Amino acid sequence: MLDVHRLRVFRSVVASGSVQAAAANLGYTPSAVSQHLTALQRETGLTLLARAGRGLRPTAAGHALAAEADRVLARVGAAESLIADLRTGRTGALSVAYFASVGAAWMPLVVRRILSELPGVRLDLQLREHIPDSREERADVQVVVAGSDFDPGSGFTAHHLLDDPYVAVLPAGHRLAGREEVDLADLADERWIDNDFARGWCRAKLLEACTAAGFSPAFRVEAHDYRTALAFVAAGIGLTVLPALGAANLPDGVTHARVVRPTPIRSIHVVVHDAVEHTPAVRTTVAALREAASPAHTR
């Protein structure tokens, strides 16, 4: 078994460039640092460091171990923080991932409720458009866009929050401005502004609806995010079609109308790690997300 403390000493030598510098940074004697390095190289059976002038440089094996040591020490640091939280009675840590339009529309309400009810919780908020492939990189709670047949993966459970219909955002002087709803086919010959950086599920849902309406939109401008696309609409450059949640705070000079016949709809879910599902922090977060997604907050 590798000694974590020796990994820390080794990592300090790699970062510092010499035994003397690492000893000064760690508050050890150079002899103690050298002993830790010797023991680590003996345990691994590898030559991890080589002389470079008056200092040391990592070998190829040393570089590889240093990179892995960063990941190991980060995990150890997280465990130590958790232990400190438990000793002092704090609620612990919670990671929450979300996509951009949810961040602006829901997360202030969600975070305010979490910190109000659980003031000791440490929040790690992550802006993510996709679910990571690695289970270790996934958040405790993640808000995602997915279809009805969505599989969150083993060890995770998905809960439906909201069906979010799309709206057309138009310049105030547009021929269709002022209507409560517009047929998607009526937008076929307009100048379209794209707003989806990921070109993922949301864009696919829109294109599927356009196909059903008998056309394929010609994007004249590729803006790749809601805020920029809305600014282009306000400048009279064209129109954009996006989920209603993304049109919650429109700039001056634009209006919006429901898209009908057909109405593209994206489904929003919250994915919860089963291992922490029953903790107070996760229960509060899910409840706050349901409140934020309720009609009283989304209309």
Side-chain angles (χ1 to χ4, degrees):
M1 295 290 291
L2 289 177
D3 186 298
V4 173
H5 182 62
R6 286 175 185 151
L7 282 179
R8 285 197 174 103
V9 173
F10 166 69
R11 195 64 190 85
S12 178
V13 172
V14 172
S16 305
S18 72
V19 167
Q20 289 74 15
N25 293 332
L26 295 171
Y28 295 168
T29 65
S31 175
V33 171
S34 295
Q35 289 175 16
H36 281 300
L37 293 178
T38 300
L40 181 61
Q41 293 189 116
R42 183 175 63 250
E43 290 171 351
T44 61
L46 299 169
T47 300
L48 301 173
L49 298 161
R51 289 288 177 187
R54 295 184 178 181
L56 295 171
R57 60 171 177 80
T59 62
H63 274 299
L65 181 60
E68 186 62 29
D70 287 340
R71 290 186 283 270
V72 170
L73 295 176
R75 299 282 295 274
V76 170
E80 290 173 342
S81 294
L82 174 61
I83 292 169
D85 286 340
L86 294 174
R87 282 178 175 168
T88 57
R90 290 196 294 267
T91 312
L94 175 72
S95 57
V96 182
Y98 55 92
F99 54 91
S101 53
V102 161
W106 292 357
M107 292 311 295
L109 172 69
V110 171
V111 171
R112 182 176 64 189
R113 178 165 173 180
I114 294 171
L115 296 183
S116 173
E117 297 184 14
L118 302 167
V121 74
R122 291 186 295 106
L123 281 176
D124 175 16
L125 302 181
Q126 305 164 7
L127 181 61
R128 284 182 176 170
E129 297 292 335
H130 300 289
I131 297 177
D133 293 331
S134 169
R135 289 170 56 90
E136 288 73 21
E137 295 178 8
R138 294 179 64 167
D140 298 323
V141 176
Q142 182 167 359
V143 185
V144 301
V145 173
S148 58
D149 58 348
F150 169 56
D151 179 6
S154 176
F156 295 85
T157 302
H159 305 276
H160 178 263
L161 291 176
L162 177 72
D163 286 330
D164 192 18
Y166 285 52
V167 299
V169 181
L170 312 160
H174 193 275
R175 62 183 178 86
L176 299 175
R179 296 189 184 183
E180 290 189 1
E181 59 184 40
V182 296
D183 285 8
L184 188 55
D186 287 343
L187 307 177
D189 296 326
E190 296 288 334
R191 289 182 296 182
W192 284 60
I193 300 168
D194 189 26
N195 55 56
D196 189 350
F197 170 77
R199 295 197 175 187
W201 198 89
C202 293
R203 179 179 167 114
K205 197 69 176 178
L206 173 60
L207 295 180
E208 180 182 293
C210 290
T211 299
F215 74 99
S216 178
F219 293 106
R220 303 290 293 277
V221 177
E222 302 278 347
H224 299 317
D225 70 90
Y226 291 171
R227 180 173 296 181
T228 304
L230 293 175
F232 287 165
V233 174
I237 294 170
L239 64 82
T240 194
V241 178
L242 45 70
L245 196 61
N249 297 294
L250 294 177
D252 294 336
V254 305
T255 185
H256 74 279
R258 294 191 303 272
V259 173
V260 296
R261 288 179 286 276
T263 300
I265 297 175
R266 69 174 181 178
S267 293
I268 301 176
H269 305 257
V270 56
V271 178
V272 178
H273 197 308
D274 292 344
V276 294
E277 180 179 10
H278 300 295
T279 63
V282 170
R283 290 202 305 267
T284 300
T285 301
V286 172
L289 284 167
R290 290 193 183 281
E291 180 184 355
S294 67
H297 288 277
T298 56
R299 65 167 174 252

